Amino acid sequence: MGSVLTIRGGVPLTGKVPVRGAKNLVPKAMVAALLGNSPSLLRNVPEIKDVDVVTSLLKLHGVEVTKDPVTGDLLMDPKNAKTAASRDIDAHAGDSRIPILLCGPLMHSIGEAFIPDLGGCKIGDRPIDYHLQMLRNFGALVEKRPGGISISAPKGLKGAKLELPYPSVGATEQVLLTAVRAEGITELSGAAVEPEILDLIAVLQKMGAIITVQTDRVIRIEGVPELTGYNHRALPDRNEAASWASAALVTKGDIYVEGANQQDLTAFLNIYRKIGGAFDVDDDGIRFYHPGGKLNPLVLETDVHPGFMTDWQQPVVVALSQADGVSIVHETVYENRFGFTDALIRMGANIQVHRECLGSIPCRFGQRNFLHSAVISGPVQLKGAEIDIPDLRGGFSHLIAALAAEGTSRVTGVELINRGYEHFLDKLEGLGADFDVTDGK
């Protein structure tokens, strides 16, 4: 058993927290270093578990990774890239899903890849079918073997005309990382266009790739025979910024998020203001605070960018439990993301989850028995409880609820939060949270 977090709630969080590079960009940019014929430098890198996992995977494949002890910047040299043993990949990958994105770069650099059976947060199926089909379309040979999947390209990778049935972020990244050095032109329709995708495109363009983002989610990539290294500063993590914003609102606090970028948070900021939260934007970040008075209920639907991001939903649900009236949240991106509400209900939240689509956005989960809509009635006084964290964003949402609750909460599984939140316990301490950390028995 890991650490146990004992939280004494009811203390408004106040102060400043820094937010560095995005969890949804940095590991992918690290993988892209495999594509270059010279070293790459990645700046603004957060100290999170996913970065450690990819660092280990790159080293297993012969990439020299050097971390600046002062800045944390990563220098990655792929000149000695090699095949790694499947058992070593499996051991280092753990529950991360990042290894699937190494396929294209590894085939370009060493001619083959092995991907262990993948883990990840328990929020939905998140199938890798899209990834494998994309790779087959490039001419890759995909073979299931004990413990994972072997992928090779005996005749080389060729550009292809591709279409995604849903704008999957991971599948779009797979196509980008594979197409940039495939022979010929690749056209991807139905692509994801999240800010992290556009930042990955910026990384690849610095390396020498030719990529055009066209209208209606179409991305066109002209393959080139070789790429160089890059020097890039990762965009800030908008998901972490939104999580701290929700924490300020739920605890009636005042948090300045250093590094928060208004442009990447537009949809979130609109909802935050509608609920009744306040924010002030300056050149270095955004101040989020509860201005006093009642919070407002609303109807909210998650969607792919530029809609309201699914990763923002869970912390906002906690805020809506404090709103004066009935709110409806329709989750259209991950089918099982409302599992985290069980703990909130035990804490006193009035939340009902439904199989029906309670919204106007066409949804893949309708009539499929997924509990993907929630009705939240408030305000309620949350009470301390025993909580076992189920996933990354849900886990942070549980922390927010515990910090606002009356009484004491005992939280286990906090290690999951390290996947995406840098030094979150240090940040909580700096904001005045009242908690202790002990080893579980």
Side-chain angles (χ1 to χ4, degrees):
M1 185 175 180
S3 300
V4 177
L5 197 60
T6 302
I7 298 175
R8 291 167 287 277
V11 179
L13 299 183
T14 60
K16 179 171 75 171
V17 292
V19 170
R20 292 205 287 175
K23 168 190 175 290
N24 288 346
L25 176 276
V26 169
K28 293 55 174 301
M30 293 172 67
V31 170
L34 268 168
L35 291 163
N37 58 13
S38 58
S40 291
L41 179 65
L42 184 59
R43 295 173 286 119
N44 200 31
V45 178
E47 293 184 353
I48 57 176
K49 182 183 175 185
D50 277 13
V51 169
D52 295 338
V53 168
V54 181
T55 297
S56 296
L57 289 172
L58 290 177
K59 287 180 176 179
L60 279 178
H61 287 92
V63 179
E64 183 180 338
V65 183
T66 307
K67 180 178 178 179
D68 188 297
V70 177
T71 64
D73 297 349
L74 294 180
L75 183 66
M76 296 159 286
D77 189 346
K79 67 180 178 183
N80 295 319
K82 63 179 182 180
T83 301
S86 60
R87 62 181 180 278
D88 293 333
I89 299 173
D90 195 29
H92 285 270
D95 61 1
S96 172
R97 303 180 66 84
I98 294 297
I100 189 67
L101 293 177
L102 271 73
C103 295
L106 283 173
M107 282 190 288
H108 286 305
S109 58
I110 61 176
E112 60 181 340
F114 179 84
I115 306 301
D117 293 329
L118 300 173
C121 288
K122 298 174 183 177
I123 55 176
D125 291 340
R126 305 177 99 179
I128 62 171
D129 299 1
Y130 288 176
H131 293 266
L132 300 181
Q133 188 54 51
M134 293 299 107
L135 292 167
R136 289 188 184 98
N137 289 338
F138 282 105
L141 180 62
V142 179
E143 297 177 287
K144 182 70 178 76
R145 292 184 181 174
I149 299 167
S150 174
I151 304 170
S152 60
K155 297 182 179 179
L157 297 174
K158 312 286 186 183
K161 191 175 181 68
L162 309 170
E163 182 173 2
L164 291 175
Y166 183 80
S168 160
V169 169
T172 300
E173 292 164 341
Q174 183 73 262
V175 171
L176 288 169
L177 291 167
T178 304
V180 286
R181 282 184 55 188
E183 181 183 339
I185 294 173
T186 297
E187 183 179 277
L188 176 64
S189 301
V193 291
E194 271 67 6
E196 295 83 6
I197 292 284
L198 298 181
D199 209 39
L200 179 60
I201 289 173
V203 167
L204 294 169
Q205 188 178 54
K206 287 178 178 180
M207 299 178 76
I210 301 172
I211 305 172
T212 305
V213 181
Q214 301 175 339
T215 57
D216 299 327
R217 299 185 176 276
V218 175
I219 298 178
R220 188 175 187 271
I221 307 110
E222 298 181 38
V224 296
E226 64 177 3
L227 297 171
T228 63
Y230 64 79
N231 183 329
H232 188 76
R233 178 180 174 83
L235 85 170
D237 196 313
R238 61 195 176 119
N239 297 336
E240 185 181 355
S243 295
W244 291 116
S246 295
L249 193 57
V250 174
T251 66
K252 299 182 179 179
D254 188 332
I255 301 176
Y256 180 81
V257 183
E258 184 180 31
N261 184 346
Q262 178 186 10
Q263 184 174 342
D264 295 338
L265 288 166
T266 301
F268 176 83
L269 294 174
N270 287 337
I271 293 298
Y272 197 78
R273 180 166 280 159
K274 286 181 180 181
I275 294 173
F279 60 89
D280 301 325
V281 181
D282 63 31
D283 290 346
D284 298 318
I286 304 176
R287 174 195 174 202
F288 296 96
Y289 57 100
H290 192 307
K294 295 179 178 179
L295 298 182
N296 307 311
L298 49 71
V299 176
L300 173 64
E301 295 184 87
T302 64
D303 201 359
V304 294
H305 187 77
F308 189 89
M309 190 174 187
T310 180
D311 286 2
W312 301 335
Q313 174 257 105
Q314 290 160 302
V316 165
V317 164
V318 182
L320 291 175
S321 75
Q322 305 305 300
D324 189 14
V326 178
S327 298
I328 297 173
V329 179
H330 181 208
E331 172 61 57
T332 75
V333 180
Y334 286 141
E335 62 271 32
N336 291 328
R337 202 149 213 171
F338 282 124
F340 83 105
T341 60
D342 292 345
L344 298 183
I345 293 168
R346 286 191 283 106
M347 298 177 78
N350 190 345
I351 302 173
Q352 297 175 320
V353 290
H354 298 270
R355 292 179 174 82
E356 292 77 17
C357 295
L358 302 182
S360 60
I361 294 176
C363 177
R364 300 174 293 156
F365 309 137
Q367 312 306 317
R368 293 178 58 196
N369 288 323
F370 292 119
L371 295 168
H372 69 292
S373 293
V375 178
I376 306 124
S377 301
V380 298
Q381 175 59 62
L382 297 173
K383 308 288 185 181
E386 299 273 328
I387 301 168
D388 185 45
I389 286 174
D391 64 76
L392 176 61
R393 307 300 172 189
F396 198 91
S397 303
H398 289 156
L399 286 187
I400 293 173
L403 290 162
E406 180 180 81
T408 300
S409 296
R410 188 171 181 271
V411 186
T412 56
V414 293
E415 291 77 14
L416 263 175
I417 298 177
N418 289 321
R419 284 191 55 220
Y421 292 89
E422 181 184 41
H423 305 315
F424 75 95
L425 291 179
D426 292 338
K427 292 178 181 179
L428 283 177
E429 185 176 17
L431 293 171
D434 185 3
F435 68 92
D436 297 315
V437 183
T438 56
D439 290 331
K441 300 295 185 182

